[in-house]
Amino acid sequence: MITGAYADPDLARPTVAEVFVHSAALIHRAADGLWPDELVVLEAQVPSVTGYVHRLRVGDRALYAKTSLLGVSLVSLLRGKVGSWPAVREAQRDYVRRQDSLMVREAAQLLVLDGLNGPRVCTVAGARDGVLFTEAVAGPTLGELLLTQPEETSALVGRCLAELRPLHRPGTARRLGPGAAINERSIFGTFCRKFDGDGAAPCVVQLNAEQWRGESELVAELVRVSVRRLLALRETLPAAAGTTLAYGDLKPEHVLFPEGPEVRPVLVDPGLLRATPIVDMAKLLSRTVLFITAQQRDPGTARLILDGLAASARSHLGHLSLADRQAMLRHLLVLWLMDTLNIVTTYLSAPAALPLPALGAAVVRRAVPVCSLVDAVSADLMGPTGRRGRGDRTLARIVEAIA
């Protein structure tokens, strides 16, 4: 079994109840401080494995509030990676005052994006004491539209990627001040941190967590072999460009169409970092494949969505020479697989008491086909760079996993 470099098992780790009660109280106090004359009502916590998110109403406004404890994921926090609950609370008091805290950077990024000619982003309503408040955005998500209009996948994804063109222009990285990037959401950085740390352990995950016990040895072996291949394949990746920005956390649920699918979408939860544009395509591909795999829709619907994604990827790379296009496709697929393992192992290692988002719970149930897909595609990628038909084989493997 793959195990992780977590704290001493006898450590008084934070519990879900402690973290949630503390975070909800922090949100309420921050909202009262920002809007002392308004009625503040916390409505529902939004399941997440990363930060604590809560829907609320302030007067007649619908808002989302987000906070982060020490900038680490909830799973890492609850596994004791950053210490006991008293130690976390003590450290958090200093963390929220830092200018490089996660919520300070995310608020600053939303303001930077609001000053560009795209992408459209949610509006910052306020920030205080480590809590970021944003205006709620109504309307269907990209994921929901893909399921109801799969034949429009290429057009929908195209509108999403068109929003990112201002970020992907050379020189845009200058818009982001020193230390303002959210590198915690880097696909490559997260993968290396989780699976190739300082030598203490090959992988900081626990796949024998309470969330899921079925066929754990098979999943662990699939992950172990895939990680080994991807660590070898990272040597083939081109150096990251430093003059462009990537949105960094581009997922189907982070793209909303408040005025309908024909109108420009609104993006939420940025994770801007200095990286090549291929990073955004890889994250969107990874999370969309997981989304439709979890949905288990009919093969025809799945194939329409996948064909649309493939068409978007070809359009994204169409200006390159054949050799460069093949190399960039390899880069895209490696990043896709890295991101998939990053999030799947986080879901699998979550404590049982932590509510998972619907996608996470569905992915946990389908861990074997998802990890088998990563295993098969990573094996294909070990072949020569110019190998023809790689994209078609990958699509066929995805369809098989979904079925």
Side-chain angles (χ1 to χ4, degrees):
M1 183 63 59
I2 297 176
T3 57
Y6 286 89
D8 188 315
D10 296 327
L11 179 76
R13 300 174 183 175
T15 67
V16 171
E18 287 171 331
V19 172
F20 282 17
V21 168
H22 171 82
S23 299
L26 181 64
I27 288 169
H28 214 300
R29 285 197 301 271
D32 284 339
L34 286 168
W35 302 287
D37 299 324
E38 300 279 5
L39 176 65
V40 176
V41 179
L42 269 61
E43 295 186 330
Q45 186 255 341
V46 181
S48 171
V49 292
T50 51
Y52 184 87
V53 184
H54 216 112
R55 289 196 299 270
L56 71 158
R57 297 199 71 83
V58 176
D60 59 358
R61 285 194 299 168
L63 303 178
Y64 279 89
K66 181 195 290 188
T67 189
S68 171
L69 290 168
L70 302 181
V72 302
S73 72
L74 287 177
V75 171
S76 294
L77 181 82
L78 294 166
R79 286 291 176 196
K81 188 180 176 185
V82 290
S84 66
W85 181 232
V88 168
R89 292 194 62 176
E90 178 67 25
Q92 180 71 5
R93 279 191 280 271
D94 293 328
Y95 180 76
V96 297
R97 291 193 288 268
R98 286 167 42 180
Q99 289 306 299
D100 64 344
S101 68
L102 186 59
M103 292 300 98
V104 167
R105 282 179 286 155
E106 186 165 325
Q109 290 192 356
L110 284 167
L111 294 176
V112 167
L113 291 169
D114 192 47
L116 293 173
N117 186 26
R120 290 179 71 193
V121 292
C122 58
T123 302
V124 175
R128 180 187 173 104
D129 299 332
V131 182
L132 172 62
F133 297 90
T134 55
E135 300 280 355
V137 181
T141 66
L142 174 62
E144 291 166 341
L145 288 173
L146 293 180
L147 294 179
T148 58
Q149 303 178 35
E151 69 284 353
E152 296 296 322
T153 295
S154 181
L156 290 167
V157 171
R159 287 189 193 98
C160 172
L161 295 177
E163 289 296 310
L164 303 184
R165 285 175 189 151
L167 298 182
H168 294 166
R169 293 185 187 124
T172 314
R174 292 194 298 269
R175 295 273 190 156
L176 209 58
I182 300 182
N183 293 315
E184 297 92 323
R185 293 176 189 162
S186 158
I187 295 174
F188 183 81
T190 300
F191 185 83
C192 292
R193 187 172 64 248
K194 291 188 73 167
F195 301 105
D196 190 37
D198 295 329
C203 171
V204 286
V205 293
Q206 291 180 327
L207 298 186
N208 57 343
E210 304 96 345
Q211 287 281 8
W212 183 77
R213 296 186 183 277
E215 300 182 274
S216 57
E217 288 293 342
L218 172 58
V219 169
E221 181 60 20
L222 290 168
V223 171
R224 188 160 33 237
V225 172
S226 299
V227 163
R228 192 180 307 126
R229 293 192 191 109
L230 292 171
L231 287 173
L233 285 164
R234 69 180 170 174
E235 303 301 327
T236 70
L237 299 181
T243 65
T244 62
L245 289 176
Y247 193 79
D249 213 14
L250 191 66
K251 309 171 187 176
E253 64 269 29
H254 286 176
V255 182
L256 296 102
F257 290 80
E259 289 97 24
E262 302 296 330
V263 183
R264 291 176 61 193
V266 175
L267 277 60
V268 300
D269 290 351
L272 296 182
L273 63 154
R274 296 173 180 86
T276 62
I278 204 69
V279 166
D280 285 326
M281 190 72 206
K283 176 67 74 82
L284 185 61
L285 172 64
S286 165
R287 300 310 173 93
T288 304
V289 168
L290 282 179
F291 175 75
I292 58 177
T293 300
Q295 293 289 326
Q296 285 189 275
R297 292 301 175 105
D298 64 275
T301 297
R303 188 67 203 219
L304 283 171
I305 295 172
L306 292 173
D307 286 344
L309 287 172
S312 297
R314 285 193 295 270
S315 175
H316 210 56
L317 307 177
H319 65 288
L320 301 174
S321 68
L322 177 60
D324 287 346
R325 192 159 58 244
Q326 290 173 335
M328 196 56 71
L329 175 60
R330 185 189 186 92
H331 187 183
L332 173 65
L333 294 177
V334 169
L335 288 177
W336 160 46
L337 297 178
M338 285 181 170
D339 182 68
T340 299
L341 283 186
N342 288 344
I343 188 60
V344 169
T345 53
T346 295
Y347 288 146
L348 289 172
S349 59
L354 179 65
L356 292 180
L359 173 63
V363 167
V364 165
R365 292 192 297 270
R366 292 184 53 75
V368 171
V370 169
C371 292
S372 296
L373 170 63
V374 175
D375 172 62
V377 178
S378 64
D380 288 344
L381 287 170
M382 296 301 287
T385 303
R387 192 172 175 184
R388 298 180 65 83
R390 177 168 283 144
D392 291 338
R393 275 194 308 279
T394 299
L395 288 177
R397 293 193 186 282
I398 297 171
V399 170
E400 182 179 349
I402 291 169

